[in-house]
Amino acid sequence: MSLQHALLGLLTLQPSCGYELTKAFEDDIGRYAWQAGHTSIYPELNRLAGAGLVEVTHEGARGSRTYAATPEGRAELRRWLMEPPPQAKVRNEMVLRLFLISALDRDDALELLRGIADQTAESATELRRIRAENGPPTIGSPVGFGLLAAEFGLRQYEAVHGWAQWAIEQISAADQPAAAADSAPSAR
Amino acid sequence: MSLQHALLGLLTLQPSCGYELTKAFEDDIGRYAWQAGHTSIYPELNRLAGAGLVEVTHEGARGSRTYAATPEGRAELRRWLMEPPPQAKVRNEMVLRLFLISALDRDDALELLRGIADQTAESATELRRIRAENGPPTIGSPVGFGLLAAEFGLRQYEAVHGWAQWAIEQISAADQPAAAADSAPSAR
DNA sequence: TCTCGACATGTCGGTATTGACATGTCGAGA
DNA sequence: TCTCGACATGTCAATACCGACATGTCGAGA
């Protein structure tokens, strides 16, 4: 259901063909928000066109069709964004992995967490580098998708990094006293 | 595919029946990581049992069956967690909404962002309150799923809150020159 | 005793999504 | 000229998933 609105949003921001949309889903939107392959996108575009929410505005080389959101489409997008505050559905394999770390033993958990801390730090650095390259956002220019997404990604990585470091400290601190083999402190 | 490992993880941490697992997916794990209903869980438990990754350790009242991960199941979980660093699949309607805000006009966008900033601040406060109530983590006790998840949720809300405030500032600053109504000191 | 809500497990049909396969175009460089 | 990689769009079968429906048990309180 959300794919529909994702497409509506992208096509409101910028008329595009299916191929370009597919690329977009490999970037920010697919990495942080909603992933989809071309096999979902093309049929959905046809459905949206049938419903009058998007329309073909141009046909180019290699049979490409450029779509844009219609006024009805933009209205539907706005309705969806503004209207209800539904409890969101989440499917995030990365976060699932983070949580399940608690099912591992101490050493494995620490190893994994250190890897995660490193990776997120790297990703954050990379995003900061890109941001610096592009210079400060131009005053007066609209704040677009790319800028919002990049900043979100950066803060996301920083948050996960902070969490991983916190977790490392907690796990390192727990369970330390006993010279004993391992776990299961009968504490309290 | 991930549901399988989510169940394996939960059953490694704590033997449970399908009903209890269903409840678990309504809590932290379902809210931040991976949601699933009982109609997915029960068939998956049967598949896992068939594959020897979990087993029934106890049959209780009302036909309840308590499952636990077998050694093979724990090995499979470990393999999945440690082995590859795959690029994660993400489906997060909330984040999608955040990103698509850029397709709205200024006023709608600001209204929405303010709502998000408020909600995330509230959620964070609530989580902090709960944490305070439960007192500091007992030294020496294992760092469990619940603690990891709560801290993750807290940092997550703080990150989104920070992002929303940043976005509000950016959008307020852009596009202001016009003698327009209010805010936005064009400072600098 | 009766009722009701929480506990507990399931099926089934329809939809959403994915992966494998298929097809064809265009431009650049060997 | 030929080839190859990016561009561009699709189908189809299999799987994953959700909502609606179905069934039954147990304990507490009226």
Side-chain angles (χ1 to χ4, degrees):
Chain A
M1 287 285 85
S2 295
L3 175 57
Q4 187 183 143
H5 295 103
L7 291 173
L8 233 31
L10 291 176
L11 292 177
T12 293
L13 289 165
Q14 162 113 285
S16 323
C17 68
Y19 187 81
E20 292 166 325
L21 291 168
T22 303
K23 292 290 170 195
F25 276 95
E26 288 168 11
D27 282 347
D28 291 332
I29 194 168
R31 182 153 42 247
Y32 307 120
W34 202 269
Q35 42 105 41
H38 80 279
T39 58
S40 325
I41 293 170
Y42 286 112
E44 190 61 40
L45 282 173
N46 287 326
R47 246 170 285 156
L48 284 168
L53 299 177
V54 304
E55 61 185 348
V56 175
T57 57
H58 176 72
E59 311 214 353
R62 292 173 250 207
S64 82
R65 266 160 288 140
T66 300
Y67 290 88
T70 62
E72 294 78 44
R74 265 176 262 121
E76 165 57 21
L77 177 65
R78 183 176 185 280
R79 190 197 60 69
W80 182 71
L81 282 174
M82 304 298 290
E83 213 170 47
Q87 21 74 280
K89 315 233 161 171
V90 173
R91 285 276 160 84
N92 191 325
E93 198 179 299
M94 203 251 278
V95 178
L96 178 61
R97 282 165 174 274
L98 297 183
F99 284 18
L100 294 183
I101 284 175
S102 55
L104 291 173
D105 65 44
R106 223 184 112 85
D107 291 340
D108 283 346
L110 286 173
E111 182 189 330
L112 243 186
L113 283 168
R114 287 196 192 101
I116 287 161
D118 290 349
Q119 281 165 37
T120 48
E122 234 175 82
S123 299
T125 302
E126 172 72 2
L127 282 180
R128 268 188 227 103
R129 193 183 60 68
I130 291 170
R131 184 173 62 178
E133 262 177 21
N134 294 336
T138 319
I139 300 294
S141 73
V143 179
F145 189 92
L147 212 51
L148 288 181
E151 184 73 19
F152 182 87
L154 177 56
R155 286 168 187 260
Q156 192 71 7
Y157 285 127
E158 287 172 343
V160 175
H161 178 75
W163 175 86
Q165 297 217 298
W166 171 88
I168 289 171
E169 272 170 44
Q170 296 295 309
I171 292 176
S172 297
D175 236 2
Q176 268 306 42
D182 52 320
S183 62
S186 59
R188 80 100 94 83
Chain B
M1 286 285 86
S2 294
L3 175 57
Q4 186 182 143
H5 295 102
L7 291 174
L8 233 30
L10 291 175
L11 292 177
T12 292
L13 289 164
Q14 163 111 285
S16 322
C17 69
Y19 188 81
E20 291 166 325
L21 291 168
T22 303
K23 293 290 169 195
F25 277 95
E26 288 167 13
D27 283 345
D28 291 333
I29 192 167
R31 182 153 45 245
Y32 307 120
W34 203 269
Q35 43 105 42
H38 80 279
T39 58
S40 323
I41 293 169
Y42 286 112
E44 189 61 40
L45 282 173
N46 286 327
R47 245 169 286 156
L48 285 167
L53 300 176
V54 305
E55 61 185 348
V56 175
T57 57
H58 177 71
E59 310 212 355
R62 292 173 249 207
S64 82
R65 267 160 287 141
T66 301
Y67 291 87
T70 61
E72 295 78 47
R74 265 177 261 123
E76 165 58 21
L77 176 67
R78 183 176 185 279
R79 190 196 61 68
W80 183 72
L81 282 174
M82 303 298 289
E83 212 170 48
Q87 20 74 282
K89 314 236 162 170
V90 173
R91 284 276 158 83
N92 191 326
E93 197 178 299
M94 204 251 277
V95 179
L96 179 61
R97 282 165 174 274
L98 297 183
F99 284 17
L100 293 184
I101 283 176
S102 54
L104 290 174
D105 66 44
R106 222 184 111 85
D107 291 340
D108 283 347
L110 285 173
E111 182 188 331
L112 244 187
L113 284 168
R114 287 196 192 101
I116 287 161
D118 290 349
Q119 281 166 37
T120 48
E122 233 174 83
S123 299
T125 302
E126 173 72 3
L127 282 181
R128 266 186 229 104
R129 193 184 58 69
I130 290 171
R131 184 174 62 178
E133 262 177 20
N134 293 336
T138 318
I139 300 295
S141 73
V143 179
F145 189 91
L147 210 52
L148 288 181
E151 184 73 20
F152 181 87
L154 177 55
R155 286 168 187 259
Q156 190 72 8
Y157 285 127
E158 287 173 342
V160 176
H161 179 74
W163 175 87
Q165 297 218 296
W166 170 88
I168 289 170
E169 273 170 43
Q170 296 295 310
I171 292 176
S172 297
D175 239 0
Q176 264 308 48
D182 51 316
S183 63
S186 61
R188 78 94 106 79

